[in-house]
Amino acid sequence: MYKDKDPRAAIFAAASTPPRTGLIAEEQLAEFDKTPPQEDAEGRKIWYQRGCNFVLAYAEAQPGAAFARTAQPDEYVLLLPDSPAVIEANGETVTVAANSIAFVPPGNSRVTLPQGGRFVRLFTSASSDLVALCPNAGAYAAGRSHIPHFAAWPEPVGGFKIRTYSLDVAPQEGRFGRIFRCTTFMVNFLDVQKGPRDPKKLSPHHHDDFEQCSLALGGSFTHHLRWPWTVDRGDWREDRHIAVGSPSSLVIPPPVIHTTEASGPETNALVDIFCPPRLDFSLQDGWVLNEADYPMPESS
């Protein structure tokens, strides 16, 4: 399944067989580059998309635009691929450079983009007001019995506060991407692909019981999806090959076999998002770059 020493090979070699039946769901696609935003006011354009446990908010801001949260129930994520920001939360103010990821504590907070630009926020579905803004808000009305109920990971060492990390991290042999986690999410900034991916070196795999959200921030991609044949023919689907530009986002349901192929001629930038964090990646030595700040559950 994996070629050229893919760091994930050992993980997925031990993965269980896909569930037998009754667990198939549709993918959730959002093409922010081709659709109007759900909010467009006060120098802010925001597009929303939901997964089973989370809401992704992609935003484009004019200089000085601010984004506030009041009584936020849990920790959320801020991705700043190319714009700096000022974060205020619970009496604390932090200036964050571009090419960073930040984790914002529960409670009241405010994010301002002094120079404008684009950024992404990630919330759990506990933010019901944001779930309601998603064009696919009803996609999970029937529930997903095979995806466990969301449970936050332990509080960070030293308690909740604004935490920021640079994405300027060089690739390392044996490490998969640039992975960060908090109490609610795991985010993996994959190494940038220059030009198209070699079609002879793809990495099809599946997940038994959690979704993967693949966020395209630069270039273009083709998401290849294959629904396994279960004993129930109602679960079967034709293979799908979904070509997207950027920005866009695809939520891939379990246990769909999937791999993503970069297709752009120049820089292709992809981010994988999981809610809650993945235990298997967390157990790999040195993969999670901020693991000293965010402990794993005791049961692990």
Side-chain angles (χ1 to χ4, degrees), residues 24-25 68 73 80 88 117 133 139 205 221 232 236 246 252 259 280 298:
I24 301 301
L80 295 163
E88 303 167 75
L133 296 174
H205 62 281
F221 299 86
D232 182 353
W236 300 4
S246 56
I252 303 166
T259 188
D280 56 352
E298 290 184 5

Side-chain angles (χ1 to χ4, degrees), residues 135-284:
N136 68 329
Y140 297 84
R144 295 287 183 268
S145 61
H146 57 304
I147 300 177
H149 290 294
F150 172 82
W153 280 30
E155 290 191 10
V157 175
F160 285 110
K161 64 179 181 179
I162 301 170
R163 297 174 186 268
T164 68
Y165 307 92
S166 172
L167 298 176
D168 187 14
V169 179
Q172 179 178 311
E173 182 71 24
R175 191 189 72 222
F176 183 53
R178 294 161 289 168
I179 301 175
F180 299 86
R181 72 170 182 245
C182 65
T183 59
T184 50
F185 285 89
M186 172 176 282
V187 182
N188 186 8
F189 290 81
L190 301 174
D191 297 330
V192 171
Q193 173 77 38
K194 299 291 187 180
R197 186 176 183 181
D198 186 341
K200 296 181 180 180
K201 297 179 180 179
L202 302 182
S203 53
H205 62 281
H206 79 277
H207 310 301
D208 284 345
D209 56 5
F210 60 86
E211 293 179 322
Q212 174 177 313
C213 176
S214 289
L215 169 67
L217 290 177
S220 56
F221 299 86
T222 300
H223 298 289
H224 302 289
L225 308 180
R226 170 164 287 182
W227 275 252
W229 283 12
T230 72
V231 298
D232 182 353
R233 188 159 57 87
D235 291 339
W236 300 4
R237 302 287 188 276
E238 295 292 334
D239 289 354
R240 296 180 187 171
H241 307 279
I242 303 172
V244 299
S246 56
S248 64
S249 176
L250 182 73
V251 180
I252 303 166
V256 171
I257 300 165
H258 58 279
T259 188
T260 296
E261 183 177 359
S263 54
E266 298 181 350
T267 298
N268 299 286
L270 194 69
V271 182
D272 283 345
I273 298 162
F274 307 94
C275 179
R278 288 179 61 164
L279 181 59
D280 56 352
F281 279 11
S282 294
L283 290 172
Q284 303 303 305

Side-chain angles (χ1 to χ4, degrees), residues 29-48:
L29 174 65
E31 295 181 281
F32 309 129
D33 58 332
K34 297 179 181 178
T35 57
Q38 281 69 61
E39 293 189 42
D40 188 355
E42 299 178 341
R44 306 177 303 173
K45 294 183 178 181
I46 312 175
W47 292 256
Y48 293 97

Side-chain angles (χ1 to χ4, degrees), residues 48-50 53-57 121-124 130-131 134:
Y48 293 97
Q49 180 199 30
R50 74 162 300 185
N53 292 329
F54 69 92
V55 172
L56 185 154
R121 290 172 297 163
L122 304 171
F123 304 90
T124 75
L130 301 182
V131 172
C134 297

